[in-house]
Amino acid sequence: ELSGLKLRLLDYQALAGGLVASTNLASLVLENSELDDEKLAIIGAGLERAPDLPLKKLYLRSNQVGDQGVSALCPFLQANTS
């Protein structure tokens, strides 16, 4: 649960690295956390490097995410079967 935290670019890079190492994360909540396309692309890259992550829920409400950011998630979403 990271809702409402004003995370910096460096924080998102660390989070993306942690996703790669995670084996049991089922929900990621990033609502109202100053997420934008660039930061979401970082998260998307981390998720893409974690194909076995059992992520079932991703909450991104109340952020400044556009088409480019959502597109960065597509490879993970297409490959994720959980």
Side-chain angles (χ1 to χ4, degrees):
E1 168 73 40
L2 300 173
S3 290
L5 296 178
K6 305 308 179 200
L7 302 175
R8 299 166 297 152
L9 191 60
L10 187 62
D11 299 323
Y12 281 102
Q13 291 168 338
L15 176 59
L19 292 172
V20 175
S22 180
T23 58
N24 61 358
L25 182 69
S27 177
L28 181 57
V29 182
L30 296 169
E31 295 177 336
N32 193 31
S33 58
E34 296 189 356
L35 190 63
D36 59 20
D37 288 340
E38 180 183 16
K39 294 170 185 170
L40 189 55
I42 291 168
I43 296 300
L47 289 170
E48 194 173 353
R49 292 190 317 266
D52 297 326
L53 188 67
L55 189 66
K56 295 181 188 289
K57 296 179 182 179
L58 179 60
Y59 298 94
L60 304 173
R61 186 176 55 173
S62 298
N63 285 296
Q64 299 298 318
V65 176
D67 293 343
Q68 184 179 359
V70 173
S71 293
L73 289 178
C74 288
F76 173 76
L77 296 173
Q78 290 171 338
N80 186 298
T81 58
S82 58

